Amino acid sequence: MTQQTTAATSPALEIDIPENLARALVTPRSYANGETTDAHRWLRANNPLGFARLEGFDPFWVVTKHEDLSAISRNNKLFLSGEKPTTLTDRATDERAREITGGSPHLVRSLVQMDAPDHPKYRALTQGWFMPQNVKKLEAAIRGIARKNVQKFLDTNGTCDFVKDVALGYPLHVIMSILGVPEQDEPRMLKLTQELFGARDPEQTRVMGEMTPQQLAMMLKMVLDDFATYFGAISEARRKEPKDDLARVIANAIVDGEPISDREAAGYYTIVATAGHDTTSTTTATAMAALADNPELLRTLKADPSKIGAFIDEAIRWAAPVKTFMRSASEDTELRGRKIAKGDWLMLCYESANRDEDVFETPYEFRLDRTPNRQISFGGGGHVCLGQHLARMEMRILYEELLPYVASVRRNGEQRISESTFVCGLKTLPIVWERD
Ligand code: HEM
């Protein structure tokens, strides 16, 4: 299973990154406590394309610069998503996953795990739904959902956990309405998503205590099977009785003249049902944290709501809720003067690219005047986030509706951040606020 590479077999100290930094990059807790932020800063300055060798992991390149992350994301022929695990996986979990699937490194096969020729065909099935002109048609319905969530916020009368009371439920309801999941099933979708993305977060995982890699792979498989079973029933219902939702499109999808398989359909539902809210929830909460930390920001946005779009873009840069995705090289190549060998694995560090001093002035400041804001939280190239226009629009609408009611906001205790090397962000944000 382990793919030895040129770089892996010919150690070169100046290429290797210090072990403590490499360890931080594979440790879920480090993404919650700021260790990876420090590691990224050091790497950008001292070893922007370094090589991580760690016991228990296949070695991988660590991509910390905006320019490199962007170039790799745009070259989908040279940098593949399907050959090796697309999310960071230790060797033992990878081996167990391949035993379960009969050889594939992917327990689920969705758009993010596909390469050409399949990827563009599968992406095209739903792409139209997420293009700006179509997303715009949803604006009135989404504003209605936003207003209900603003009412929930107002009902807290000045003290709330913004994550629990607003940020979790709002994007969840938006994407589930588009997908066609009944409202009463939303808590189940939320729980399954948290179990998948928070598989190693002590508060979100399905299994308490330390897990062996084998147990982790089995647990992930069980969560994915639950998604597949749930959406299998939805598919059946849509084939019998079509509705105007995304489930109908997936249930009846045809690729190369054949209906797509159950595995691909389950993967499709799962990526939309998970990627479509967790990322947006944590970014929505991060935007509120920025307001709590910068009273001037609230005053500026209230005086000029046309700046809310820029505020959301900066919150997306600041939050970078997708921490890493992995790629593998299809050919020998060179990047930043370093030789990448065919089969080498690469870690894309989105948060680091979003703090790149060569692209962002004062990157550790939350600023509204980044025009254009070159944040790269949505990735780029063929796999660029399908839901980026929806995510931006729903967050903008929520703050357009919410801010007129808020005179002031400040923190009210410790925030907590979920622990994951893949997708993580605020899981609590206690605040006190005054009504305007
Ligand atoms: C892909 C981030 C919201 C659906 C991606 C990728 C990133 C990302 C980085 C690229 C993966 C890669 O290059 O391999 C985000 C962020 C969001 C967000 C930061 C919110 C702030 C959403 C929403 C949806 C969504 C609301 C709703 C449907 C998807 C899908 C893909 C994707 C389906 C796979 C695209 C492909 O591989 O072709 N997202 N996402 N995302 N995202 Fe998002």
Side-chain angles (χ1 to χ4, degrees):
M1 236 53 66
T2 313
Q3 201 159 12
Q4 287 299 332
T5 65
T6 311
T9 48
S10 50
L13 278 176
E14 70 278 13
I15 291 181
D16 286 6
I17 67 175
E19 199 192 329
N20 62 324
L21 301 190
R23 185 56 62 196
L25 296 172
V26 302
T27 305
R29 185 162 305 149
S30 307
Y31 289 81
N33 65 17
E35 262 183 77
T36 47
T37 309
D38 295 340
H40 290 147
R41 194 198 298 244
W42 188 91
L43 287 167
R44 282 196 308 278
N46 299 290
N47 194 355
L49 185 63
F51 201 64
R53 289 170 214 271
L54 281 171
E55 182 74 31
F57 287 83
D58 275 7
F60 55 89
W61 294 96
V62 182
V63 182
T64 56
K65 295 291 280 179
H66 189 286
E67 187 187 353
D68 297 344
L69 193 149
S70 171
I72 292 170
S73 300
R74 279 186 277 111
N75 195 337
N76 304 115
K77 217 169 147 204
L78 189 53
F79 295 104
L80 301 176
S81 298
E83 289 290 302
K84 295 195 83 172
T86 315
T87 53
L88 179 78
T89 309
D90 62 70
R91 206 174 277 147
T93 307
D94 182 30
E95 280 169 13
R96 184 73 188 106
R98 288 175 199 255
E99 277 164 28
I100 293 170
T101 59
S104 164
H106 312 301
L107 290 171
V108 62
R109 188 166 187 256
S110 75
L111 290 179
V112 287
Q113 286 89 9
M114 289 181 185
D115 294 306
D118 284 354
H119 177 259
K121 295 179 195 166
Y122 279 82
R123 189 166 162 120
L125 293 171
T126 61
Q127 177 129 337
W129 277 68
F130 294 102
M131 286 296 99
Q133 54 283 27
N134 200 58
V135 166
K136 207 158 170 25
K137 289 188 203 146
L138 303 172
E139 178 147 3
I142 292 178
R143 199 169 287 279
I145 301 173
R147 285 187 181 143
K148 283 192 185 146
N149 280 275
V150 169
Q151 190 54 51
K152 279 190 201 161
F153 176 77
L154 297 177
D155 291 345
T156 68
N157 285 322
T159 310
C160 72
D161 174 355
F162 190 73
V163 175
K164 189 165 77 37
D165 292 321
V166 180
L168 272 184
Y170 170 60
L172 181 70
H173 188 55
V174 169
I175 194 64
M176 293 306 156
S177 315
I178 294 173
L179 196 48
V181 170
E183 194 165 354
Q184 71 269 18
D185 293 339
E186 287 176 12
R188 186 171 169 188
M189 291 293 110
L190 179 61
K191 188 160 186 307
L192 286 175
T193 305
Q194 290 176 338
E195 287 173 347
L196 190 65
F197 289 164
R200 293 172 67 200
D201 181 294
E203 291 177 334
Q204 296 188 326
T205 179
R206 186 178 283 198
V207 177
M208 287 306 168
E210 278 297 302
M211 271 181 286
T212 63
Q214 288 76 6
Q215 287 166 330
L216 176 63
M218 277 316 293
M219 195 271 280
L220 290 172
K221 164 94 171 86
M222 278 157 56
V223 173
L224 291 165
D225 283 351
D226 285 355
F227 270 119
T229 307
Y230 178 82
F231 283 113
I234 296 248
S235 260
E236 247 183 74
R238 286 305 177 280
R239 283 185 205 121
K240 283 192 196 128
E241 194 189 333
K243 286 191 186 173
D244 189 18
D245 57 26
L246 207 63
R248 172 185 54 84
V249 178
I250 300 171
N252 297 294
I254 306 277
V255 166
D256 292 338
E258 299 283 334
I260 64 172
S261 75
D262 290 347
R263 176 163 156 81
E264 268 78 22
Y268 222 121
Y269 283 117
T270 305
I271 184 79
V272 176
T274 55
H277 60 95
D278 199 86
T279 47
T280 318
S281 296
T282 54
T283 309
T284 302
T286 300
M288 182 52 81
L291 292 173
D293 293 340
N294 309 290
E296 189 51 40
L297 193 57
L298 178 62
R299 280 192 285 278
T300 307
L301 294 174
K302 283 176 75 75
D304 183 0
S306 73
K307 293 199 162 96
I308 292 177
F311 167 62
I312 296 304
D313 270 347
E314 181 67 346
I316 293 167
R317 181 186 78 89
W318 198 247
V322 174
K323 299 300 162 190
T324 66
F325 261 116
M326 307 297 290
R327 295 285 195 271
S328 62
S330 63
E331 299 292 339
D332 291 355
T333 185
E334 211 174 294
L335 195 64
R336 212 167 266 279
R338 298 206 151 154
K339 293 198 185 319
I340 314 274
K342 179 177 177 177
D344 274 5
W345 210 21
L346 302 100
M347 174 188 265
L348 306 183
C349 301
Y350 296 88
E351 190 182 326
S352 177
N354 274 335
R355 304 284 185 275
D356 189 339
E357 297 76 2
D358 288 340
V359 176
F360 302 100
E361 205 183 290
T362 59
Y364 293 90
E365 273 176 35
F366 191 102
R367 286 172 51 167
L368 289 184
D369 63 347
R370 302 187 189 279
T371 42
N373 189 326
R374 293 179 59 205
Q375 60 79 16
I376 195 163
S377 294
F378 293 120
H383 287 279
V384 70
C385 178
L386 191 60
Q388 60 169 319
H389 306 294
L390 174 67
R392 273 204 191 90
M393 188 177 86
E394 63 183 297
M395 288 190 275
R396 172 180 55 76
I397 291 176
L398 181 74
Y399 280 95
E400 282 169 1
E401 294 295 325
L402 188 73
L403 293 186
Y405 293 103
V406 183
S408 74
V409 55
R410 58 189 166 78
R411 289 178 183 262
N412 187 28
E414 281 293 294
Q415 64 176 28
R416 289 210 312 280
I417 296 176
S418 52
E419 298 177 11
S420 170
T421 58
F422 177 32
V423 178
C424 65
L426 287 170
K427 61 180 174 183
T428 60
L429 180 65
I431 53 167
V432 283
W433 58 277
E434 282 173 330
R435 191 166 174 160
D436 206 354

